Amino acid sequence: MAYDFYWISGSPNAWRAMLALEYKGTPYVSHRLDPSKREHKTPEFLTLNPRGQVPVLNADGSTITESLAIMAFLERTYPTPPLFGETPAETGLIWQRIFEVVNYLRDPIETGVVRVISYGEAMKDPEATKTTASVATARLDWLEDMLAREPYLAGESASAADIATMPIIEMLARFGAKPDAITLALGFDDLGRTHPSIAAWLERLQTVRGYDAAYPPHWRNNKTISVGRREIKKALRPLAV
């Protein structure tokens, strides 16, 4: 039986969970929600996640609402191919990297840069924007240094650490190329020049199984892309939780 997966195009958290589904080859039915219509705030969806956030995975009656929890669930259910390592040391390092990203890297990027640019607030206080961007740059330098020494965040092969981190950096690169970010010279519009190891890592991740299928469709200029799975747009209905 296929799982039900609810997501919004461009959500970093939904993206990482979808990529894990695709990487594992897990059968699922896709429910893409339209945030402009507030489909993630309907009473039906709120029965799945009272916070009104994506992603949500309904797995045979069990509802999981956090992206990392979804990834851990998939690892336990479908251990091959592994995402969280094969030895205790590998598993520990992968989780260490994930929490380093969540605790130190994500907020300066998502809140300090992406959200400010997305909401059109960057030019209201340029100096404040540059200050928050400098924090994001320092954390990005930490990632650059790590990837200059290893091809992936937890060693020689891609893992859950890379899948959890990649959407955050892709989002930064996308919004770092917006006009306001370029006007303020925030320095995120050419990662190949400023952070070549990160840029090379992103290119390597494009070859990971499921990358194309999980890539945000609205980033593809709204073109219809065949990704080898079903995408179903239908009215949400309450599901067992």
Side-chain angles (χ1 to χ4, degrees):
M1 178 182 294
Y3 298 149
D4 287 284
F5 181 66
Y6 299 84
W7 59 289
I8 290 173
S9 179
S11 160
N13 291 340
W15 189 353
R16 64 165 64 132
M18 181 182 286
L19 182 49
L21 282 163
E22 294 286 351
Y23 182 84
K24 293 285 189 180
T26 306
Y28 69 97
V29 177
S30 168
H31 301 269
R32 179 182 173 184
L33 306 183
D34 186 345
S36 70
K37 298 178 181 178
R38 296 184 61 79
E39 291 181 345
H40 58 307
K41 301 296 184 181
T42 64
E44 293 81 8
F45 184 75
L46 292 175
T47 65
L48 299 174
N49 185 358
R51 293 187 177 90
Q53 298 173 337
V54 295
V56 170
L57 181 72
N58 185 270
D60 299 331
S62 297
T63 301
I64 307 170
T65 62
E66 294 291 333
S67 60
L68 295 176
I70 290 172
M71 293 173 67
F73 168 85
L74 293 173
E75 181 79 353
R76 186 65 180 266
T77 308
Y78 302 93
T80 303
L83 276 176
F84 287 87
E86 297 181 346
T87 68
E90 290 173 350
T91 300
L93 178 59
I94 289 166
W95 276 111
Q96 175 184 320
R97 293 290 184 246
I98 288 173
F99 283 113
E100 285 174 337
V101 168
V102 169
N103 291 328
Y104 305 115
L105 180 70
R106 181 181 62 181
D107 192 59
I109 289 176
E110 292 189 353
T111 303
V113 178
V114 172
R115 187 173 299 176
V116 170
I117 296 171
S118 176
Y119 290 178
E121 297 176 351
M123 303 302 292
K124 293 180 180 179
D125 190 341
E127 292 307 313
T129 300
K130 291 179 181 180
T131 297
T132 57
S134 69
V135 176
T137 298
R139 305 296 166 84
L140 209 61
D141 291 344
W142 163 78
L143 192 67
E144 172 73 12
D145 181 67
M146 187 186 310
L147 289 169
R149 291 180 278 111
E150 298 284 351
Y152 297 97
L153 293 184
E156 295 295 323
S157 59
S159 71
D162 302 282
I163 288 178
T165 307
M166 180 271 297
I168 299 171
I169 306 304
E170 292 264 21
M171 185 73 74
L172 176 66
R174 179 176 175 83
F175 280 87
K178 297 290 186 180
D180 285 352
I182 293 176
T183 298
L184 294 175
L186 299 185
F188 303 120
D189 56 306
D190 188 359
L191 294 181
R193 176 180 58 82
T194 60
H195 296 84
S197 297
I198 291 177
W201 167 74
L202 290 175
E203 289 185 3
R204 286 192 291 274
L205 290 178
Q206 291 176 12
T207 68
V208 167
R209 176 182 178 181
Y211 177 89
D212 287 337
Y215 193 84
H218 82 282
W219 287 17
R220 300 183 187 275
N221 298 320
N222 296 320
K223 294 180 180 178
T224 301
I225 304 296
S226 174
V227 295
R229 61 172 169 75
R230 292 182 296 163
E231 178 171 306
I232 296 178
K233 286 286 292 178
K234 59 185 178 181
L236 293 172
R237 62 187 185 284
L239 300 173
V241 296

